[in-house]
Amino acid sequence: MIKEEQLTPIGYLSRTHGKQGALQCQVSNAFIAEADPEFIVLKLDNIFVPFRLNDWREKGREAYILNLQDIDSEEKASRMVGTEVYLFRCDITDTPDEALTLQDLIGMEVIDAAKGPIGRIQEVDESTINTLFLLDNGCIIPAHDDFLQDINYSTRQLFMDLPEGLIP
């Protein structure tokens, strides 16, 4: 089952394109320009459903024409108009940091420069002035830019250099 944490919203299917089942996707997110997806994911009846992307091409600055496997008629395509479109995060090769929110980090493995892997981010606590990562092993670490070294989007790893004594 596909979970929303695995996905990045990119837009919606705005209309059909031609008689062969192509669809126009209005994009609200620049991630698609950096992606090389094999699949897109549509939210149908509140369920995330993957579709193999046979072909896609840019149409202007804010739209793409998508040809999806098994969607081969205007009738089939018209049933999908208005549907939200997502990409798998692992298909995004060059995600800009400014587009990320702290919630996007949930599920990432935290790797400390000195101690190595220390756990996965289970929750982000933003209830106080100091934002915290709550890890799956019970550790709580500050989510501070000074400690962040790198993020590997494809492996879902967050590299940090945490102060000595912070981690048991």
Side-chain angles (χ1 to χ4, degrees):
M1 183 168 178
I2 299 171
K3 296 180 182 173
E4 192 164 0
E5 303 86 54
Q6 298 173 290
L7 304 172
T8 297
I10 60 162
Y12 70 97
L13 298 176
S14 60
R15 62 193 244 0
T16 61
H17 183 82
K19 303 283 183 195
Q20 303 301 316
L23 289 149
Q24 181 170 311
C25 177
Q26 291 301 122
V27 294
S28 57
N29 177 320
F31 291 158
I32 194 167
E34 303 297 330
D36 187 20
E38 185 177 348
F39 293 91
I40 63 161
V41 178
L42 303 180
K43 191 171 187 180
L44 302 171
D45 297 325
N46 286 322
I47 298 171
F48 295 108
V49 181
F51 285 84
R52 184 172 300 279
L53 190 57
N54 288 341
D55 183 40
W56 63 302
R57 66 183 186 280
E58 198 169 355
K59 181 182 181 196
R61 288 178 20 141
E62 297 179 358
Y64 282 80
I65 303 301
L66 309 177
N67 291 300
L68 307 177
Q69 185 173 355
D70 298 327
I71 308 300
D72 54 8
S73 70
E74 186 176 14
E75 181 183 330
K76 288 179 182 178
S78 66
R79 288 186 236 144
M80 300 197 173
V81 171
T83 303
E84 295 174 61
V85 180
Y86 298 80
L87 288 180
F88 284 106
R89 289 184 186 274
C90 61
D91 287 337
I92 300 168
T93 57
D94 193 18
T95 306
D97 289 337
E98 62 273 6
L100 281 178
T101 67
L102 288 170
Q103 298 304 314
D104 291 325
L105 302 177
I106 292 175
M108 284 196 170
E109 180 181 28
V110 177
I111 300 174
D112 180 55
K115 296 213 178 214
I118 58 172
R120 290 197 180 278
I121 299 172
Q122 189 170 25
E123 188 178 337
V124 178
D125 181 355
E126 297 180 83
S127 64
T128 64
I129 196 162
N130 296 315
T131 302
L132 302 169
F133 292 140
L134 291 86
L135 304 185
D136 59 357
N137 60 6
C139 285
I140 299 173
I141 57 174
H144 197 281
D145 286 345
D146 290 347
F147 304 143
L148 180 65
Q149 288 185 318
D150 194 19
I151 300 174
N152 185 321
Y153 301 101
S154 59
T155 62
R156 305 268 308 140
Q157 293 177 316
L158 181 76
F159 296 90
M160 300 185 83
D161 188 6
L162 298 168
E164 190 174 325
L166 189 63
I167 306 165

